[in-house]
Amino acid sequence: MCGIVGYVGSRNSVPILIEGLQRLEYRGYDSAGLALIQDGSLMVIKKAGKVVDLVDLIGDANLCSHLGIGHTRWATHGEPNDLNAHPHWDCNKEIAIIHNGIIENYATLKTKLEHDGHRILTATDTEILVHLIEEMYKRADDLFTAVRLALLEVEGAYGILVISKREPDKIVAARKGSPLVIGLGENENLVASDAAALVDHTRQVVYLEDGEVACLTASSFVTKTIHDQEIIKQVEEISFDLEQIEKGGYEHFMLKEIHEQPESIRNSLRGRLLVHDGTAKLGGLEPVLDTLYKAQRIIITACGTSWHAALVGKYMLEQLTGIPVEVDYASEFRYRNPVINPGDVVFVISQSGETADTLAALREAKSKGATAIGIVNVVGSTIARETDAGVYIHAGPEIGVASTKAFTSQITVLSLISLLLGRNRGLPQDQGCKLANDLQSLPEKVAKIFGEASHIQDIAEEFKHAQNFIYLGRGSNFPTALEGALKLKEISYIHAEGYPAAEMKHGPIALIDENMPVVFIVPKDAIYEKVLSNMQEVRARKGRIIAVANEDDREIDSLADHVIRVPRTYSYFGPVVNSIPLQLLAYYIAIARGCNVDQPRNLAKSVTVE
Ligand code: M6R
């Protein structure tokens, strides 16, 4: 959740750290800070607010340091104020730490440390850790060892960077549950919670694993386990460009990412869809294909938007493969002692590949003997590395906190998997070809919807003061409705609920009156007529209807107050197309309400805490 960046090398670290924090600000943005070693002294500068507030605080101060660490925070323990902002330091102000994660046994450690005379000043769990390191430093020869020893006493999750003025040329980094990646440069080394902060400086990276500690100088790095075993790490190459993580002329990352969808969907399909054979080829699944073909049951686990994609996947997989599919919130799955039978395969969906609940669900599934398959965007992320096999969605970096292009690419990849498994389990080739053709046409159909943007903007203007919204759809457009409602909630702070359209009469219909906007996703599919009846029920109660309907549907005009037209798509893949106008509607309403769409309040891009 928090952003972390560190630099040691021949250049001035300050602009590098600030720029890195700006790239990482989507991970957390309630305070920011730096710790620098300058002329042998350790200084900490921190401020509640955004990175820009930290920049203002620094002002014209002539900071020049060849070693520093920077942090942008998403508060867990202690309110977001100047004091609780990271970095934190020890009693003697010799050691500074930045941290992403939660130290679960911090209360026990705090009591012990206070008893030993440490003065704890903030409400954070992180400050406890720096005092623990201070304690260990008394008996260890160096900072690297002190950090390692301290971590042996810690329960919880962490990605940390630690520096000390006694060893002014070193950064010690450690990870358990919160990602850290080291960037290797010439006469300099960097480390960050996300490769986005490194890509400007180097493409050579080393991913730290859970339980590993690294010590970086300008010219070297060493990695050990916290139990003192040396490890040789593999150097990997970052595959994305700087351009991909910049706004490229759009006002917001979210809008850019919405518009990138024709390309991101194309990238998800590239080299994988065999249109003429009516099937798909997914190299990442090859090690587990036999198991997958014989699967008795598929369980999909994920959080948030990825969970909505999983629900869409359930409709497609069950219809095309006949394999029963269960979808579970990762946060529930991990604690409910799930029953895993031989022959069960668990799919784990995550854009970031770092979501703590999803990662824990993956580990739970694996510990019970399931074969685990990842559907992940961020290459080299923890979930991608810990699954037995997987398919990258290749949506490219998603910076906007509200997930958009990852959602449509997750569904695209689930469609490819459904097609591959379906063909293996008896789906005839001609039907496979029809589906493959439909999949191939998705990017073009999505691009067409952008022609509706100004119409959607007008609708947004009309409804910007609404206090509630209901989203209704049936079949695989029920999860589309859930996703539409989530997008609106996240970025406009309007209360919104998604329901299966027919479920409305069992309760939510009580909410319908002339002030209630109801968004219907109503493509011309097998249950079109049924959804029209649900629309009649809303209309009869004076609800205001916004319909997402097919281009050639004229019947809808007499029922809806507003119609947003989308191209016809084979019903399983419809959510890819139908979710685009819902993303745009949420975006334009949020803009009309003056909300910060890329950094909505209380949220963070990657939720690496429970
Ligand atoms: O990175 P993940 O896909 O694992 O993230 C899961 C959710 O935290 C995420 O989808 C969240 O719901 C987004 N803010 C949705 O826009």
Side-chain angles (χ1 to χ4, degrees), residues 560-601:
D561 298 274
H562 300 280
V563 181
I564 304 171
R565 305 275 171 194
V566 294
R568 264 203 204 218
T569 312
Y570 185 72
S571 59
Y572 303 127
F573 312 141
V576 170
V577 170
N578 302 336
S579 58
I580 311 294
L582 306 185
Q583 295 169 352
L584 287 169
L585 183 64
Y587 174 82
Y588 287 123
I589 290 180
I591 295 296
R593 289 164 70 94
C595 300
N596 182 343
V597 292
D598 280 339
Q599 294 178 346
R601 71 184 181 204

Side-chain angles (χ1 to χ4, degrees), residues 8 79 115 168 208 224 253 327 385 435 502:
V8 49
E79 65 177 271
H115 179 264
L208 278 191
K224 288 185 173 184
F253 282 114
V327 176
R385 282 179 285 132
L435 291 171

Side-chain angles (χ1 to χ4, degrees), residues 39 69 123 137 171 189 201 227 244 270 297 507 519 535 572 607:
D39 304 326
I69 55 179
Y137 213 4
I171 299 176
N189 284 315
H201 309 288
H227 300 291
Q244 287 178 278
R270 199 181 305 279
R297 180 174 66 149
V519 179
M535 286 176 76
Y572 303 127
V607 186

Side-chain angles (χ1 to χ4, degrees), residues 84 110 174 176 215 255 261 324 343 367 374 432-433 486 506 513 602:
N84 290 334
K110 182 175 182 192
K176 184 179 160 215
C215 184
L255 191 61
Q261 287 175 105
S367 75
C433 287
L486 179 67
H506 299 290
D513 63 14
N602 305 339

Side-chain angles (χ1 to χ4, degrees), residues 122-422:
T122 75
T124 66
D125 52 336
T126 307
E127 194 194 349
I128 307 303
L129 192 46
V130 74
H131 288 275
L132 188 61
I133 293 167
E134 179 185 18
E135 202 54 38
M136 298 299 173
Y137 213 4
K138 291 178 189 161
R139 52 187 114 130
D141 292 337
D142 53 61
L143 185 67
F144 193 22
T145 311
V147 170
R148 223 177 29 72
L149 293 177
L151 292 177
L152 290 173
E153 303 209 356
V154 162
E155 287 163 25
Y158 50 79
I160 53 168
L161 301 186
V162 189
I163 59 175
S164 161
K165 73 174 190 184
R166 272 155 60 188
E167 296 173 65
D169 58 341
K170 283 183 193 158
I171 299 176
V172 177
R175 104 158 241 180
K176 184 179 160 215
S178 302
L180 278 182
V181 52
I182 298 171
L184 306 174
E186 292 227 347
N187 300 321
E188 61 185 18
N189 284 315
L190 298 99
V191 55
S193 48
D194 184 324
L198 308 179
V199 71
D200 216 6
H201 309 288
T202 179
R203 301 204 147 262
Q204 305 294 308
V205 296
V206 169
Y207 293 97
L208 278 191
E209 299 289 342
D210 278 358
E212 291 180 356
V213 193
C215 184
L216 281 72
T217 66
S219 57
S220 69
F221 81 95
V222 183
T223 21
K224 288 185 173 184
T225 67
I226 59 168
H227 300 291
D228 205 20
Q229 282 172 320
E230 231 174 276
I231 321 162
I232 308 298
K233 300 290 294 181
Q234 207 186 326
V235 178
E236 299 180 37
E237 183 111 354
I238 300 178
S239 57
F240 59 85
D241 298 325
L242 196 54
E243 203 181 83
Q244 287 178 278
I245 52 171
E246 287 180 337
K247 283 190 202 148
Y250 287 93
E251 208 180 325
H252 298 99
F253 282 114
M254 183 178 176
L255 191 61
K256 172 181 177 245
E257 287 158 8
I258 291 173
H259 279 86
E260 277 172 350
Q261 287 175 105
E263 197 50 28
S264 52
I265 296 166
R266 216 169 270 129
N267 288 338
S268 306
L269 294 172
R270 199 181 305 279
R272 294 165 163 177
L273 189 62
L274 309 180
V275 180
H276 298 298
D277 299 330
T279 188
K281 183 171 166 37
L282 296 162
L285 294 186
E286 253 145 46
V288 298
L289 263 191
D290 280 345
T291 317
L292 199 48
Y293 286 154
K294 287 188 225 132
Q296 298 293 309
R297 180 174 66 149
I298 293 172
I299 300 167
I300 318 181
T301 184
C303 302
T305 289
S306 299
W307 183 79
H308 296 154
L311 282 179
V312 176
K314 176 182 165 74
Y315 284 89
M316 294 190 295
L317 282 160
E318 286 192 339
Q319 291 304 309
L320 296 177
T321 72
I323 306 171
V325 179
E326 285 174 21
V327 176
D328 222 338
Y329 283 116
S331 53
E332 291 299 311
F333 183 87
R334 64 183 291 191
Y335 286 121
R336 73 172 170 79
N337 193 15
V339 177
I340 306 275
N341 298 314
D344 285 348
V345 175
V346 174
F347 287 12
V348 180
I349 308 184
S350 174
Q351 186 287 128
S352 61
E354 302 292 350
T355 301
D357 285 322
T358 312
L359 182 56
L362 160 65
R363 289 176 179 163
E364 174 72 14
K366 284 191 76 178
S367 75
K368 295 200 154 169
T371 299
I373 292 174
I375 298 174
V376 171
N377 192 29
V378 178
V379 175
S381 56
T382 312
I383 292 175
R385 282 179 285 132
E386 290 197 15
T387 36
D388 297 303
V391 186
Y392 282 118
I393 64 170
H394 293 320
E398 191 183 65
I399 308 291
V401 166
S403 187
T404 51
K405 62 177 180 169
F407 178 65
T408 48
S409 281
Q410 286 164 342
I411 300 174
T412 304
V413 163
L414 284 161
S415 314
L416 289 168
I417 298 175
S418 306
L419 189 57
L420 172 67
L421 293 191

